[in-house]
Amino acid sequence: MKTNDVLLRNVTKVVAFIIFLFSLHLFFAGHYNPGGGFVAGLTSAGAITLTLLAYDIKTVKSMLNMNTIIITAVGLIFVVGTGLLGVFSGKPFLTHLYGHVDLPVLGDTSLHTATLFDLGVYLVVVGVTLTIIQTIGESD
Amino acid sequence: MILKIALSIALLLYSVSTFLYLYRILKGPTTSDKVVALDSIGMNLVATVALLSMFYDTNAYLDVILLIALLAFIGTVSFSKFIEKGKVIDRERDN
């Protein structure tokens, strides 16, 4: 009997976006509330895993259109780059910079380079998790 | 005071329910019974965390509720796919 996953696929189309939004919330809430780069990365990887379950590796690869190892590498560059930002401003390695910036739409916003470090952690976690899942899924 | 007593009773009832599901996991004749029981334990865990966050009077656990629900859903879907098709992730789909 040929199976038909129409219910799973339509639920995935809605739920995957909700999970992405939740991971975005976890990522930006990390400074003052529970959350942060690690949990946000795992949640994003969970959303992509759900699409992997509903569809297949080939579809998800064409959807993502990016090598997961390159995502990991970009994340590591972000982590090391924010560390070097402290060195270039004459302070020890991994000293974070912060300040108020006048953004065009958002107005006076308090920004911190720890967010960029967290972005690196996020990308590394997403890349490593997806590399593990895809490599195991492709092997026979 | 009355709220804490009510929450304690609700937590006790949920733990009894979780133990009954655990009996179904240990005893269940087919794999599907065990998967359904595991999914229900996940939902019980959601309710338990919600009650505990009321008990401790904090909203720090509210993200955990959503996270457990999402993980229970993804886990149940992958178990179901394994039971139905024998593999969790297809290389290339045929339909």
Side-chain angles (χ1 to χ4, degrees):
Chain A
M1 197 189 90
K2 204 163 179 181
T3 55
N4 189 359
D5 301 344
V6 65
L7 203 56
L8 175 63
R9 280 184 191 150
N10 281 304
V11 166
T12 300
K13 277 174 194 162
V14 179
V15 170
F17 280 105
I18 297 174
I19 302 178
F20 264 124
L21 212 61
F22 178 54
S23 92
L24 224 64
H25 160 74
L26 279 176
F27 177 74
F28 285 112
H31 202 71
Y32 293 109
N33 293 100
F38 185 76
V39 188
L42 279 183
T43 318
S44 283
I48 298 171
T49 310
L50 188 62
T51 54
L52 269 174
L53 289 169
Y55 297 92
D56 57 324
I57 290 180
K58 205 180 160 198
T59 312
V60 173
K61 265 189 177 166
S62 68
M63 193 182 79
L64 207 62
N65 207 4
M66 212 186 292
N67 193 348
T68 48
I69 297 173
I70 291 177
I71 296 178
T72 314
V74 170
L76 284 172
I77 286 171
F78 262 105
V79 169
V80 176
T82 35
L84 288 177
L85 224 60
V87 174
F88 289 142
S89 60
K91 294 195 181 80
F93 185 62
L94 277 176
T95 307
H96 288 292
L97 309 171
Y98 56 93
H100 289 263
V101 181
D102 216 9
L103 290 177
V105 182
L106 299 168
D108 184 35
T109 319
S110 168
L111 295 179
H112 202 293
T113 53
T115 313
L116 292 175
F117 186 84
D118 238 15
L119 184 67
V121 174
Y122 174 89
L123 290 174
V124 167
V125 171
V126 169
V128 167
T129 315
L130 288 179
T131 307
I132 290 171
I133 291 174
Q134 282 186 357
T135 312
I136 293 175
E138 274 177 342
S139 68
D140 282 318
Chain B
M1 190 61 210
I2 188 100
L3 180 69
K4 293 253 162 146
I5 295 170
L7 287 174
S8 307
I9 294 170
L11 279 170
L12 187 70
L13 289 176
Y14 268 111
S15 63
V16 170
S17 154
T18 306
F19 268 108
L20 292 176
Y21 281 130
L22 201 63
Y23 174 76
R24 181 46 62 197
I25 285 180
L26 293 172
K27 200 73 177 177
T30 65
T31 317
S32 309
D33 289 322
K34 301 185 182 189
V35 171
V36 170
L38 205 62
D39 190 45
S40 307
I41 283 184
M43 293 306 126
N44 266 3
L45 218 56
V46 168
T48 309
V49 173
L51 290 171
L52 272 178
S53 74
M54 279 175 80
F55 194 84
Y56 292 130
D57 201 16
T58 172
N59 56 7
Y61 295 143
L62 297 185
D63 288 339
V64 177
I65 295 171
L66 203 50
L67 205 59
I68 292 174
L70 294 174
L71 290 181
F73 175 66
I74 294 174
T76 310
V77 167
S78 43
F79 271 128
S80 316
K81 206 170 167 191
F82 179 72
I83 290 171
E84 190 181 323
K85 292 184 177 168
K87 58 181 178 181
V88 181
I89 296 174
D90 302 321
R91 191 184 294 242
E92 193 169 353
R93 70 176 187 273
D94 46 3
N95 55 345

